[in-house]
Amino acid sequence: STMGCRTANGWDVNGMGQKKDGRGNICPVTIIMPTLAMIVKMDMIEKYGEEVVREDESHLIDRFIYYLDTKIHEAKDQLIERFEWICSQDAAAAKFMYENGVMEGYIPEEGIRSALKHGTLAIGNIGLAETLQILIGCDHTEKKGMDLAKRIYQLFKDRCAEFKEEYSLNFGVYNTPAENLCY
């Protein structure tokens, strides 16, 4: 799912540092984690039976983390594809943004990538508490839930750090305000 929402811009890897003005959320993608947890759990129940899945929580968690990692990489691919498409547009398509400092750093000879590279490519997520309930039967208010929550968010953080390094773009993770993404 996609959504244009609020993002706190972190440190700009392309020279603006911590400056907030003139930067923005370029093209977010949100991963709906409870859906992933349900898919993984149902697949495992179908293959191994409900009792086995209930008894071997660690296998379920490992499968979920693997599947989530796959989805984080897919989100990165979507973000790169969108970023490249947006950068291929003529500056006249969003003249106001570049002439009024909404997106700073625009150098006409270099095209709009010169400004957009300062924005954030955001990988969002929703439903952490529900995901934990599906996978382990408790949420982050219990130690077991908090430990898994930290493992999940560490994966997001690590992947975004890798993507920043690989692409020299500002990948970031955030918790999506999910007004439009779930029931």
Side-chain angles (χ1 to χ4, degrees), residues 86-99 106 108 111-112:
I86 293 167
C87 287
S88 73
Q89 304 307 299
D90 190 286
K95 190 175 179 182
F96 177 86
M97 290 176 62
Y98 308 110
E99 290 181 352
Y106 176 60
I112 64 174

Side-chain angles (χ1 to χ4, degrees), residues 22 32 34 39 41 55 88 98 103 114 120 126 131 134 147 152 161 182:
I32 304 173
I39 290 169
K41 189 169 187 175
E55 289 175 13
S88 73
Y98 308 110
M103 291 299 295
S114 59
T120 300
I126 63 168
T131 299
I134 292 164
D147 290 344
I152 289 168
C182 60

Side-chain angles (χ1 to χ4, degrees), residues 142-170:
E142 296 181 32
K143 182 179 179 353
K144 178 176 155 181
M146 181 57 81
D147 290 344
L148 181 54
K150 288 178 180 179
R151 182 175 172 194
I152 289 168
Y153 281 129
Q154 190 65 51
L155 176 64
F156 276 102
K157 181 182 178 206
D158 291 346
R159 291 299 176 256
C160 285
E162 290 170 17
F163 302 155
K164 280 181 190 178
E165 181 74 26
E166 181 177 352
Y167 294 95
S168 294
L169 293 170
N170 297 302

Side-chain angles (χ1 to χ4, degrees), residues 30-39 64 67-68 72 124-132 134-135 149 152-153 156 175:
T30 293
I31 297 171
I32 304 173
M33 292 194 298
T35 302
L36 301 184
M38 286 186 283
I39 290 169
F64 172 77
Y67 194 40
L68 178 60
I72 291 170
N125 65 84
I126 63 168
L128 176 64
E130 295 81 2
T131 299
L132 298 173
I134 292 164
L135 295 174
I152 289 168
Y153 281 129
F156 276 102
N175 297 308

Side-chain angles (χ1 to χ4, degrees), residues 32-49:
I32 304 173
M33 292 194 298
T35 302
L36 301 184
M38 286 186 283
I39 290 169
V40 170
K41 189 169 187 175
M42 294 307 294
D43 284 351
M44 289 190 67
I45 287 171
E46 191 174 301
K47 287 179 187 171
Y48 305 110

